[in-house]
């Protein structure tokens, strides 16, 4: 028998590539269409919900055999509950590599590295007999208070889309699937299962959907997970516009839509909207609802067939790699995956500040001589987020041990505080801890102060109350800085923290984010200079929470959250207002320096519109020469921003549209070429309801951050005519700007038909009102003729 879809079982699994349209496994292959035709309505309905917390429902009777397959968390490592799953799915899981969470991976700006991480995640998924890894999460970081920001990549959809594509492609190259999540406008934990994200379509199309669109078009994730929340008062799980019209009809998604766990409110409406699989199990209740809706005539059985077919396809395409891995006894290389986790954590580490002290920067450390470590997080690492993504690591590195091992020195240490999520030590003398740390610091040449957020400060399920570090940690930094000016702060946090109140106390600040199981060794690699930091901020660090664009509109009230900032999310907001920030989007220092020369942009061909799926759709080719002007090898992230100063619509000052990470030896130069496609110049027209590229000038800026622009070029692009048709409610000003009838309207208005003192007012008046008032020199009949002429 045959499996309907083409399936590639990875060579590592011992199966080779399956032939087009068929694959053979250990007795579990089946023909999707034949099985579907043999199923009863009740059996088809049963496929549309889970058997338990993690497994799809099987069908096993004479003539029909559909196995269930397992799906499981989490985005940065396998979290498989091997024994009895608990009701929240949060219990003990099998050991797996805990890679750095998305907050860290996003700061790498490195799709090639994330592809490799994805491949490793896919291998671990496959050998553990899991069909789908539930991730990655690519929601936009709208507010730094979102308790789940550690699970997301960026405040920008280009980074989220590019890195998300790399992760999905890497995981799925191993013959297992992914679940792109959480679709869509899921940007907070407060009231997350009910809140309505009230957001206009243009903002959705330009900010909150493009990352998903990019991953779907370029990598075709096996599944997409709908979010809990409503979007403009319609639950995502039953939102036909979102799940069918946009995801499938516009973007061409070919896979299965699965609910977030517990996100379904009306099962019949969800099936009709395009939600195929409800998770977890409902004990048969919602299966019966689907059957009853079909029997009552409110749900077409053909719609149930479509959803059941998608579930069957998911099961069928999972079997070759899983069965081959089981037959071969394959396992994954624990040491190699740990090394990759270490590489990824170091690559995502961002050097925020490295000011000179005694005429030289504190980092990298020349040696461990005179170095002391302060802060319990150096010994008890915070390395991943809290909630459903928690991985049981195969091993765990801490920075203190890693530093001692790397240097061969017994580096002095003082805890300074306890890690328990409270601002005071629980049963521990906080004053004594502080005093001990100050004495260790006083005797040291350089002090590494490890600070960060306890798990109780940020987690799935609740949002942060503020952006501050725990008060006792700031007090520790103040005490250390009072006795030693050579202070390096090393941060461990899943979302941006306020730095403005204390960064003057530390000449060097290292943002380590959450480093995964090898994060302790990785940050030591950066501190000692074994790795030259090349991480760049994928989110802005504001001076104050109050400066954030969502402030006042987060997390909403009475079941609604208004996205009042519109398009101006993250750096778009700060740049539009020329507002000071602590550290801008894209920022990150290096132990070497880079020069940019010869920024140029060339129009290759006129804009062809909104298709961004192929490289040969290039509209503008951007080139720049980057030179490593320092004495160390290093990597620079070249960032390309686009501005449209002449647009009819409001547009951000500049927007990231392309980037490239470039490795350079000392003195080496390289020309970097990046192509922009039509979509990179387009905006979503709220009236025409499609992407448009206006003709005219575009400013292409190239730099090392959104605030560190090293050069720019202006290009003139032939766009499309986005003139709107005139209608009775068009204004006089709009009619005066019309290329066909505009001159006549201007002549009428300025020729005495309108009094001079009324010219300012009449511009905003609808044509039909002007006609009725007899102010424009034409009546209703004249207006009808005018509109006919204008609209051809």
């Amino acid at each position: 028998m045959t499996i309907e879809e083409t399936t590639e079982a990875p060579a590592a699994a011992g199966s080779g590539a399956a032939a087009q349209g068929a694959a053979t496994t250990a007795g579990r292959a089946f023909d999707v269409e034949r099985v579907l035709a043999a199923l009863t309505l009740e059996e088809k309905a049963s496929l549309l919900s889970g058997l338990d917390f993690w497994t799809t429902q099987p069908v096993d009777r004479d003539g029909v055999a559909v196995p269930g397959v397992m799906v499981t968390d989490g985005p940065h490592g396998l979290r498989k509950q091997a024994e009895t799953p608990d009701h929240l799915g949060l219990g003990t899981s099998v050991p797996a590599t805990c890679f750095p969470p998305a907050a860290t991976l996003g700061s790498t700006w490195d799709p090639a590295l994330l592809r490799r991480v994805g491949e490793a995640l896919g291998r671990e998924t496959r050998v553990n007999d899991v069909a789908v890894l539930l991730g990655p999460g690519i929601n936009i970081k709208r507010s730094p208070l979102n308790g789940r920001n550690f699970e997301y990549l960026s405040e920008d959809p280009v980074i989220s889309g590019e890195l998300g594509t790399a992760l999905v492609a890497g995981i799925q190259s191993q013959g297992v699937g992914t679940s792109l999540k959480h679709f869509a406008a899921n940007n907070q934990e407060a009231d997350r299962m009910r809140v309505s994200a009230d957001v206009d379509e243009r903002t959705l199309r330009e900010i909150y959907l493009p990352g998903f669109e990019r991953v779907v078009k370029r990598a075709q994730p096996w599944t997409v997970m709908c979010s809990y929340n409503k979007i403009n008062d319609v639950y995502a799980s039953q939102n036909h516009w979102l799940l069918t019209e946009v995801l499938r009809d516009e973007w061409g998604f070919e896979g299965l839509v699965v609910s977030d766990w517990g996100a379904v409110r009306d099962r019949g409406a969800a099936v009709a909207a395009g939600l195929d699989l409800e998770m977890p199990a409902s004990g048969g209740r919602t299966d019966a609802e689907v059957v009853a809706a079909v029997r009552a005539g409110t749900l077409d059985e053909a719609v149930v067939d479509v959803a059941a077919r998608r579930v069957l396809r998911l099961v069928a395409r999972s079997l070759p790699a899983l069965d081959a891995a089981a037959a071969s006894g394959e396992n994954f290389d624990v040491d190699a995956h740990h090394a990759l986790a270490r590489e990824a954590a170091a690559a995502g580490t961002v050097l925020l500040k490295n000011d000179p002290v005694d005429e030289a920067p504190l980092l990298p450390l020349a040696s461990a001589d005179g170095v002391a470590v302060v802060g319990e997080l150096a010994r008890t690492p915070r390395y991943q987020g809290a909630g459903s993504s928690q991985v049981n690591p195969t091993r765990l590195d801490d920075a203190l041990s890693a530093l001692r091992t790397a240097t061969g020195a017994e580096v002095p240490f003082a805890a300074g505080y306890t890690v328990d999520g409270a601002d005071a030590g629980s049963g521990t003398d906080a004053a004594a801890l502080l005093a001990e740390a100050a004495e260790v610091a006083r005797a040291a040449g350089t002090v590494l102060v490890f600070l960060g957020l306890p798990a109780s400060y940020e987690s799935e399920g609740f949002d942060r109350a503020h952006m501050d570090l725990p008060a006792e940690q700031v007090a520790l930094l103040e005490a250390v800085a009072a006795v030693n000016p050579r202070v390096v702060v090393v941060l461990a946090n899943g979302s941006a923290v306020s730095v403005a109140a204390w960064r003057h106390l530390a000449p060097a600040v290292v943002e380590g984010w959450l480093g995964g199981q090898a994060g302790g060794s990785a940050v030591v690699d950066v501190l000692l200079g074994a790795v030259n930091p090349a991480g760049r901020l994928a989110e802005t660090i504001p001076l104050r929470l109050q400066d954030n664009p969502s402030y006042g509109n987060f997390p909403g009230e009475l079941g609604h959250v208004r996205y009042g900032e519109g398009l101006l999310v993250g750096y778009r907001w700060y740049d539009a207002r020329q507002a000071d920030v602590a550290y801008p989007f894209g920022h990150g220092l290096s132990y070497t320096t880079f020069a940019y020369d010869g920024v140029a942009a060339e129009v290759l061909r006129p804009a062809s519109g909104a298709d961004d799926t192929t490289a040969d759709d290039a509209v503008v080719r951007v080139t720049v020469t980057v030179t490593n002007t320092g004495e160390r090898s290093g990597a620079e992230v070249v960032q390309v921003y686009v501005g449209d100063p002449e647009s009819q619509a409001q547009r951000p000052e500049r927007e990231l549209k392309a980037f490239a990470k470039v490795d350079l030896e000392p003195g080496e130069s390289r020309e970097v070429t990046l192509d922009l496609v039509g979509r990179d110049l387009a905006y979503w027209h709220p009236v025409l309801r499609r992407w448009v590229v206006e003709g005219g000038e575009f400013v292409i800026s190239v730099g090392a951050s959104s605030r560190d622009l090293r050069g720019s070029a202006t290009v003139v692009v032939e766009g499309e005519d986005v003139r709107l048709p005139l209608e009775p409610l068009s204004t006089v000003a709009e009619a005066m700007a019309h290329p066909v009838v505009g001159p006549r309207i201007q002549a009428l208005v300025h020729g005495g038909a309108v009094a001079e003192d009324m010219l300012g007012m009449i511009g905003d008046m609808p044509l039909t009102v002007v006609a009725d008032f007899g102010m424009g020199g034409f009546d209703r009949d004249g207006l009808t003729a005018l509109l006919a002429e204008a609209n051809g």
Side-chain angles (χ1 to χ4, degrees), residues 434-730:
L434 197 65
E436 177 192 15
E439 286 308 305
V440 168
R442 189 190 309 274
T446 300
V447 188
L448 307 179
V449 183
F450 284 75
L451 308 175
L453 298 180
S456 61
Y457 272 53
E458 54 178 354
S459 171
E460 177 184 358
F462 60 86
D463 290 322
R464 297 163 66 193
H466 52 74
M467 286 185 64
D468 300 331
L469 291 172
E472 79 274 15
Q473 293 189 21
V474 177
L476 169 66
L477 176 59
E478 291 171 343
V480 168
V483 299
N484 192 325
R486 298 176 60 85
V487 176
V488 178
V489 167
V490 182
L491 293 170
N493 46 289
S495 187
V497 297
S498 298
V499 300
W502 53 259
R503 61 177 170 171
H504 64 284
L505 300 172
V509 180
V510 176
E511 177 56 91
W513 301 111
L514 302 179
Q517 68 178 52
S521 294
V523 78
V524 168
D525 289 340
V526 172
L527 294 172
L528 294 176
V531 172
N532 192 345
R536 302 293 184 263
L537 291 178
E539 59 188 291
T540 307
I541 301 179
L543 288 171
R544 309 178 307 154
L545 173 64
Q546 292 87 340
D547 296 334
N548 182 262
S550 70
Y551 189 79
N553 285 317
F554 181 96
E557 57 192 0
L558 303 176
H560 290 264
V561 54
R562 187 174 69 90
Y563 285 43
E565 67 279 6
L567 301 173
L568 301 182
V569 176
Y571 68 90
R572 292 166 171 81
W573 172 274
Y574 301 108
D575 289 351
R577 283 157 177 74
Q578 299 181 0
D580 290 336
V581 298
Y583 296 104
F585 174 82
H587 170 75
L589 303 178
S590 172
Y591 296 150
T592 188
T593 53
F594 301 94
Y596 289 61
D597 296 295
V599 173
E602 175 190 8
V603 178
L604 298 184
R605 63 187 179 125
S608 60
D611 181 10
D612 68 342
T613 60
T614 58
D616 61 2
D617 190 38
V619 176
V620 177
R621 174 156 291 171
V622 182
T623 56
V624 59
T625 299
V626 182
T627 302
N628 182 343
T629 54
E631 298 179 354
R632 290 174 176 260
S633 61
E636 175 68 324
V637 177
V638 179
Q639 303 165 36
V640 176
Y641 295 85
V642 174
D644 182 4
E646 298 180 350
S647 176
Q648 296 176 14
Q650 179 199 24
R651 302 196 67 176
E653 186 78 10
R654 66 186 67 90
E655 298 180 275
L656 181 76
K657 293 300 179 182
F659 63 90
K661 197 162 195 174
V662 186
D663 292 298
L664 296 170
E665 295 299 319
E668 182 183 3
S669 295
R670 186 177 304 170
E671 184 177 80
V672 179
T673 300
L674 291 161
D675 287 342
L676 304 177
V677 300
R679 178 66 174 272
D680 296 323
L681 308 178
Y683 68 90
W684 181 264
H685 200 292
V687 177
L688 298 177
R689 297 195 65 240
R690 62 177 176 84
W691 293 100
V692 301
V693 178
E694 284 188 41
E697 288 190 352
F698 289 83
V699 178
I700 314 298
S701 302
V702 180
S705 81
S706 67
R707 295 289 178 88
D708 184 7
L709 303 176
R710 305 294 184 87
S712 64
T714 299
V715 294
V716 177
V717 176
E718 291 182 28
E720 60 178 304
D721 183 0
V722 294
R723 179 180 67 229
L724 297 177
L726 286 185
E727 56 185 13
L729 288 178
S730 297

Side-chain angles (χ1 to χ4, degrees), residues 138-306:
I138 64 166
N139 293 101
I140 295 298
K141 298 183 181 187
R142 177 176 178 245
S143 166
L145 297 186
N146 183 3
R148 209 169 181 176
N149 271 356
F150 59 82
E151 205 169 320
Y152 302 136
L153 292 162
S154 179
E155 68 185 21
D156 183 83
V158 170
I159 294 181
S160 298
E162 286 294 312
L163 299 185
T165 295
L167 282 168
V168 168
I171 294 169
Q172 295 188 170
S173 73
Q174 302 304 302
V176 295
T178 57
S179 196
L180 189 66
K181 63 183 187 180
H182 303 89
F183 192 57
N186 180 227
N187 309 106
Q188 64 188 66
E189 294 298 282
D191 201 19
R192 65 175 176 158
M193 293 189 174
R194 304 180 307 169
V195 72
S196 174
D198 297 340
V199 52
D200 66 274
E201 185 177 10
R202 185 180 174 202
T203 298
L204 278 173
R205 295 283 192 168
E206 295 192 27
I207 301 294
Y208 297 102
L209 297 185
F212 289 95
E213 180 183 3
R214 191 172 294 229
V215 179
V216 166
K217 287 182 173 180
R218 297 183 178 181
Q220 279 294 341
W222 287 14
T223 77
V224 167
M225 183 188 295
C226 82
S227 56
Y228 287 119
N229 54 284
K230 301 171 188 173
I231 298 159
N232 297 322
D233 261 342
V234 180
Y235 280 108
S237 61
Q238 56 199 58
N239 193 315
H240 187 273
W241 174 80
L242 184 72
L243 302 184
T244 296
E245 296 174 41
V246 173
L247 179 61
R248 295 189 184 280
D249 297 344
E250 292 186 24
W251 299 350
F253 176 59
E254 299 169 358
L256 172 149
V257 176
V258 61
S259 73
D260 202 343
W261 270 230
V264 175
R265 298 291 168 265
D266 183 328
R267 189 64 186 111
V271 173
L275 180 78
D276 306 303
L277 176 61
E278 175 191 13
M279 290 297 286
S282 68
R285 174 181 55 81
T286 57
D287 303 346
E289 291 176 2
V290 171
V291 172
V294 172
R295 303 286 190 221
T298 58
L299 181 64
D300 192 330
E301 187 170 354
V303 176
V304 177
D305 288 349
V306 169

